[in-house]
Amino acid sequence: MKYNKRQKAIILLSDGTIFHGKSVGKEGSAFGEVCFNTGTTGYQEIFTDPSYYGQLMVATNAHIGNYGTHAEEVESDSIKIAGLICKNFSYNYSRPSAEGSLEDFFDKNNLLAISDVDTRALVTYIRENGAMNAVISTEVDNIEGLKKQLAEIPDMNGLELASKVSTKEPYFVGDENATYRISALDLGIKKNILRHFAKRDVYIKVFPYTATFEEMNSFNPDGFFLSNGPGDPEPLENAISVAKEIIDRNLPLFGICLGHQVIGLANGISTYKMHNGHRGINHPVMNLLTGKGEITSQNHGFAINKEETEKHPDFEITHLHLNDQTVAGMRMKSKNCFSVQYHPEASPGPQDASYLFDQFIENIKNI
């Protein structure tokens, strides 16, 4: 076991608050909105989730890196978080099937990470004061310079980020001779969503976030899917327009996370930035249709307006988040459309909600 000599590092929040730590390896500075994830496992999937693009991730689990990395445990082609903040960083790993260390994975992706941070105090501060921009840096003697740079970082509210993570060209997933065909709008889609569709006898064509309804419909799909993704949903004018067209034609439509918010906006339901969001793999949700509770994986900083959803004549709330009563799922009464604010594909997380993929296939069958 080698000794790692590490530089001092800091977390500087936009309100001037400073937390101290040490650099994991790479030196420099990284900027973004600071958020936290309460998951106890699945760190590689979290770090590569496109929905986290541009965010500094605080891991609440005490140990990060202890089971190494594996090529199959990624949700995109690269790390998407802007930087990592953790308590204990494990340079050594003990899982026999691991293919490398998290340190090497970060070096390959040029990611800045700091450890030895009082993450309990930091998370408590974020919970009390809300999500905000921050910088993590080894430039501990350049506080004023970092403050000036931090002031130039745009706020997440109103920020369009789907363009940073969406595919540039359409691509296909699954067996081209599958029973069903789905057109998916990539706003930051996770690989495990595509895996869930493919194993349900679905052939998927994934389109860039700029794709029009006509382009998506040219695939002759049996249904349409709006993916998860980062940033504020309101600037996504094209995705909102596509959702409106699909709904107007009463074609099968399923949305997850950002896609859920886009469906709301397409029907005049507003969205808002949450105080600190939902990020973790143990969020309790009540299925109002079955009366059963579900433990879910969640990752979002925006939500749809509950009061407006309740008053909308065409919508029914199907799921509620039990911690704060925010809308976790909804469906349209007269259209073949439903969506959820959480991640039924998990990765990481529990499998309680994977039935939603089956529900979408049933909606297609029942046309």
Side-chain angles (χ1 to χ4, degrees):
M1 184 179 296
K2 66 178 180 179
Y3 173 76
N4 295 91
K5 185 177 181 180
R6 296 175 294 155
Q7 285 197 355
K8 292 181 179 179
I10 60 167
I11 306 145
L12 171 64
L13 302 179
S14 59
D15 67 0
T17 304
I18 296 176
F19 290 82
H20 297 271
K22 292 183 179 179
S23 169
V24 165
K26 182 178 180 290
E27 300 175 10
S29 301
F31 298 81
E33 183 185 68
V34 66
C35 66
F36 60 91
N37 187 295
T38 57
T40 56
T41 187
Y43 52 73
Q44 194 177 356
E45 293 94 329
I46 292 167
F47 301 158
T48 56
D49 181 349
S51 294
Y52 282 121
Y53 182 87
Q55 292 183 305
L56 298 172
M57 172 57 60
V58 182
T60 64
N61 190 36
H63 297 275
I64 294 297
N66 50 311
Y67 59 81
T69 61
H70 196 287
E72 294 183 0
E73 295 172 355
V74 295
E75 289 299 328
S76 66
D77 57 359
S78 64
I79 286 180
K80 293 299 187 290
I81 61 171
L84 172 68
I85 302 161
C86 64
K87 175 60 178 174
N88 299 304
F89 187 89
S90 299
Y91 291 88
N92 301 287
Y93 58 92
S94 57
R95 182 174 54 156
S97 63
E99 297 174 346
S101 70
L102 187 58
E103 179 188 12
D104 291 339
F105 189 60
F106 281 178
D107 287 344
K108 181 181 178 181
N109 285 270
N110 197 33
L111 187 89
L112 179 64
I114 65 173
S115 66
D116 293 75
V117 177
D118 187 345
T119 50
R120 291 179 299 178
L122 176 56
V123 168
T124 299
Y125 192 87
I126 297 169
R127 287 179 63 88
E128 293 177 351
N129 296 277
M132 64 185 79
N133 284 341
V135 54
I136 58 175
S137 180
T138 55
E139 299 178 54
V140 295
D141 297 322
N142 185 31
I143 302 298
E144 292 306 313
L146 292 172
K147 285 183 178 179
K148 291 179 181 179
Q149 294 178 66
L150 183 56
E152 299 298 318
I153 302 300
D155 187 80
M156 190 66 73
N157 205 353
L159 191 61
E160 183 279 303
L161 292 176
S163 59
K164 305 293 185 182
V165 295
S166 179
T167 183
K168 303 303 180 185
E169 299 292 336
Y171 65 93
F172 300 89
V173 177
D175 181 358
E176 63 179 341
N177 297 313
T179 303
Y180 309 103
R181 295 159 72 93
I182 289 175
S183 287
L185 191 65
D186 178 13
L187 306 175
I189 200 165
K190 291 174 66 178
K191 287 186 176 182
N192 207 42
I193 290 175
L194 297 172
R195 295 187 195 107
H196 268 279
F197 279 134
K199 73 180 183 181
R200 286 170 170 80
D201 200 20
V202 174
Y203 187 45
I204 314 105
K205 185 173 183 179
V206 183
F207 290 84
Y209 83 108
T210 54
T212 64
F213 169 77
E214 289 73 23
E215 289 171 332
M216 296 181 70
N217 200 42
S218 66
F219 183 54
N220 295 317
D222 299 296
F224 294 82
F225 175 72
L226 303 180
S227 84
N228 63 291
D232 191 332
E234 286 193 11
L236 298 175
E237 295 180 1
N238 178 70
I240 295 169
S241 176
V242 168
K244 284 181 180 178
E245 187 72 24
I246 296 168
I247 292 167
D248 286 346
R249 294 171 181 252
N250 197 23
L251 301 171
L253 177 61
F254 178 29
I256 287 177
C257 254
L258 187 58
H260 162 84
Q261 296 158 17
V262 166
I263 289 172
L265 289 168
N267 286 275
I269 300 172
S270 65
T271 59
Y272 64 94
K273 191 175 188 301
M274 304 173 74
H275 186 62
N276 51 49
H278 295 155
R279 297 177 180 90
I281 59 176
N282 59 346
H283 285 256
V285 164
M286 175 61 72
N287 184 326
L288 301 179
L289 303 179
T290 65
K292 294 181 179 180
E294 302 171 8
I295 303 302
T296 67
S297 177
Q298 302 206 6
N299 169 20
H300 60 102
F302 290 82
I304 66 168
N305 186 294
K306 182 183 179 184
E307 184 178 354
E308 293 176 13
T309 309
E310 289 174 331
K311 291 181 178 179
H312 199 293
D314 294 332
F315 274 88
E316 176 185 14
I317 295 175
T318 57
H319 300 75
L320 281 179
H321 195 296
L322 291 177
N323 287 348
D324 57 10
Q325 299 299 300
T326 51
V327 178
M330 61 187 183
R331 68 180 180 183
M332 298 192 73
K333 298 174 182 177
S334 59
K335 302 289 185 179
N336 198 337
C337 171
F338 76 104
S339 60
V340 290
Q341 183 61 83
Y342 52 96
H343 285 270
E345 83 288 347
S347 190
Q351 303 294 318
D352 294 25
S354 61
Y355 68 89
L356 290 165
F357 292 97
D358 299 317
Q359 180 179 318
F360 185 40
I361 301 303
E362 285 301 315
N363 286 358
I364 290 173
K365 289 180 181 179
N366 296 331
I367 295 177

